[in-house]
Amino acid sequence: MLLFTPGPTPVPENVRQAMAAVSMHHRTPEFEAIFKATRKRLLELFATDEVVMLAATGTGAMEAAVSNLCHHTLLYVNAGKFGERFGHIATAVGLERVELRYEWDTPASVDDVMAALHANRDIDAVAIQICESAGGLRHPVETIAAAVKAFNPEITVIADGITAIGVERIDVSHIDCVIAGSQKALMLPPGLAMLGLSNAAVVKIGAGKGYYFNLASEIQKQRQNTTAYTAATTLVVGLLEVLETIERYGGAGKLYCDTARRAKAVRFALEAIGLHSYPTMPAKAMTTIDDVDAAAIRTLLKEDFGVNVAGGQDHLKGKIFRINQMGLIPLHETVWVVNSIELSLALLGRRPYDGTASRTFNEEYFKNKLVPKET
Ligand SMILES: *Cc1c(COP(=O)(O)O)cnc(C)c1O
């Protein structure tokens, strides 16, 4: 079965092998050397001043960011399940909250964010997804962050990059905290979360909040290449292998470029067979299709063609399907996915099979190679 869900994503063979080595004790020079090397590579990937790894899923990092970096009122964008979660976290940790709500296909607007900031002077942090995975939607986070900072540089910008870090280059100039999780673009099993922090964020954290998710104690320890509590040693070993694998592949730049090409080619291929891309601003992490037959297509993909794609949640249950674009995906697998979707439409009697999807994918993906050579 091909795992094509936008998290968890497949773990490469060499990464699984690296994690199969005998367990290490975390308070040893051997593990500290691995931790140090991982930290160095993470700082490069995030391009932030500081980075922290937590033994938690992505939601743990969201909670750590909100509780340590918002001291009064959180403005958050809710255009899907994960944006909504920021609101639940704010309430759970005893903060005031202001919600900006959108339909799941609609990106947040700078004007709405600015209007909310003008209307509520107690807002001291803004939280938003870079890619809202519920609908495969890309928010204009960099533009929003720049506007927030121009309005008041003291307001902290928290960006959930769980399906963006490792997918595309994020300009963090105006972002104070960017969050990543192991099981999405970083091609690992779930259980490790990461936060990239600006120097201003580290200052605002001060003595930190909470106990396990106290970022001050983690920053202090992790600067010495150790952790406040037992490190997720196996996942850190795996993360170093992932980051080295990306480097051997040609670096993050090549990964971002290939991901963008592949995501665009998949969208073109599916549009060519009459399907519709759901978000008005699609993220590169996944291709999201809304369709009356979404549930039937997903079942056929799984049962007849061995492809596992994700569905939708809440009001989008049975109405969309989401195809992963994160990680180092072998091209032949993606070609099989678009081909299987075309076959599924034929089985549903929607259109006769003629190979349009895989042909369009190949033509778009290889368009620079397929131009006729000058003689
Ligand atoms: C998956 C995801 C999360 C939550 O991560 P968990 O690891 O399930 O806690 C948060 N935000 C986004 C955008 C995600 O895609």
Side-chain angles (χ1 to χ4, degrees):
M1 182 75 72
L2 289 183
L3 182 61
F4 260 83
T5 56
T9 59
V11 181
E13 170 70 23
N14 64 307
V15 176
R16 296 201 304 274
Q17 292 296 339
M19 292 189 299
V22 287
S23 292
M24 278 180 135
H25 194 278
H26 56 293
R27 310 277 182 214
T28 54
E30 292 79 10
F31 182 69
E32 283 169 17
I34 290 170
F35 195 88
K36 184 179 179 183
T38 311
R39 219 174 113 74
K40 181 171 166 285
R41 285 180 187 273
L42 268 187
L43 282 165
E44 287 163 13
L45 182 75
F46 279 78
T48 49
D49 301 314
E50 189 51 78
V51 72
V52 170
M53 288 172 253
L54 296 172
T57 71
T59 306
M62 291 169 75
E63 177 167 342
V66 170
S67 62
N68 285 264
L69 284 166
C70 183
H71 296 160
H72 197 282
T73 302
L74 182 75
L75 172 67
Y76 66 100
V77 170
N78 173 359
K81 269 288 182 219
F82 299 106
E84 178 185 60
R85 190 167 297 177
F86 270 131
H88 292 316
I89 292 170
T91 302
V93 302
L95 293 163
E96 297 294 319
R97 55 180 229 187
V98 175
E99 182 181 81
L100 270 183
R101 197 172 190 152
Y102 295 91
E103 190 37 62
W104 291 13
D105 63 349
T106 308
S109 86
V110 180
D111 290 348
D112 293 345
V113 172
M114 295 319 292
L117 294 182
H118 279 285
N120 192 328
R121 298 291 173 150
D122 289 332
I123 292 167
D124 69 319
V126 177
I128 184 169
Q129 273 60 41
I130 299 176
C131 163
E132 169 53 80
S133 314
L137 174 70
R138 177 67 155 90
H139 285 299
V141 174
E142 297 90 334
T143 318
I144 289 172
V148 169
K149 290 296 183 182
F151 171 74
N152 180 357
E154 302 280 299
I155 297 175
T156 303
V157 177
I158 299 168
D160 169 357
I162 294 177
T163 47
I165 295 292
V167 173
E168 57 175 314
R169 195 174 304 286
I170 307 300
D171 176 4
V172 293
S173 320
H174 304 289
I175 297 174
D176 295 290
C177 172
V178 56
I179 298 163
S182 54
Q183 81 274 25
K184 308 279 175 81
L186 293 172
M187 300 172 262
L188 287 166
L192 191 69
M194 291 134 270
L195 298 106
L197 299 164
S198 68
N199 285 330
V202 174
V203 171
K204 188 171 180 185
I205 288 164
K209 284 268 166 58
Y211 188 77
Y212 182 73
F213 286 133
N214 184 308
L215 290 179
S217 44
E218 284 299 343
I219 291 167
Q220 193 228 334
K221 290 288 183 186
Q222 298 196 16
R223 282 179 174 165
Q224 301 165 57
N225 301 312
T226 187
T227 47
Y229 313 105
T230 308
T233 47
T234 305
L235 287 168
V236 174
V237 167
L239 178 57
L240 181 58
E241 184 67 23
V242 164
L243 298 173
E244 287 175 351
T245 303
I246 292 172
E247 180 154 314
R248 284 194 297 273
Y249 178 74
K254 177 166 163 53
L255 172 62
Y256 300 156
C257 175
D258 290 350
T259 302
R261 270 172 79 196
R262 197 181 53 241
K264 189 175 173 196
V266 167
R267 185 160 55 80
F268 279 24
L270 300 183
E271 285 172 353
I273 54 171
L275 294 175
H276 177 256
S277 169
Y278 170 72
T280 59
M281 186 66 89
K284 297 184 175 80
M286 65 198 74
T287 306
T288 306
I289 299 295
D290 56 327
D291 195 276
V292 283
D293 292 323
I297 293 169
R298 267 188 80 208
T299 305
L300 283 169
L301 286 176
K302 197 164 190 170
E303 290 175 2
D304 289 29
F305 305 110
V307 174
N308 188 0
V309 300
Q313 293 169 283
D314 292 4
H315 64 295
L316 292 184
K317 196 167 166 47
K319 299 209 165 80
I320 61 166
F321 61 93
R322 295 173 296 149
I323 304 161
N324 178 49
Q325 301 292 355
M326 293 177 281
L328 294 161
I329 302 177
L331 265 191
H332 63 273
E333 292 186 1
T334 300
V335 178
W336 175 248
V337 172
V338 297
N339 182 61
S340 301
I341 294 169
E342 183 176 350
L343 286 166
S344 302
L345 293 188
L347 294 184
L348 290 168
R350 293 254 303 248
R351 68 185 288 289
Y353 179 83
D354 60 6
T356 297
S358 50
R359 180 173 47 76
T360 306
F361 177 87
N362 288 317
E363 282 172 354
E364 174 58 30
Y365 192 87
F366 293 109
K367 67 181 170 198
N368 293 329
K369 287 196 171 149
L370 290 173
V371 287
K373 290 244 163 37
E374 304 258 343
T375 44

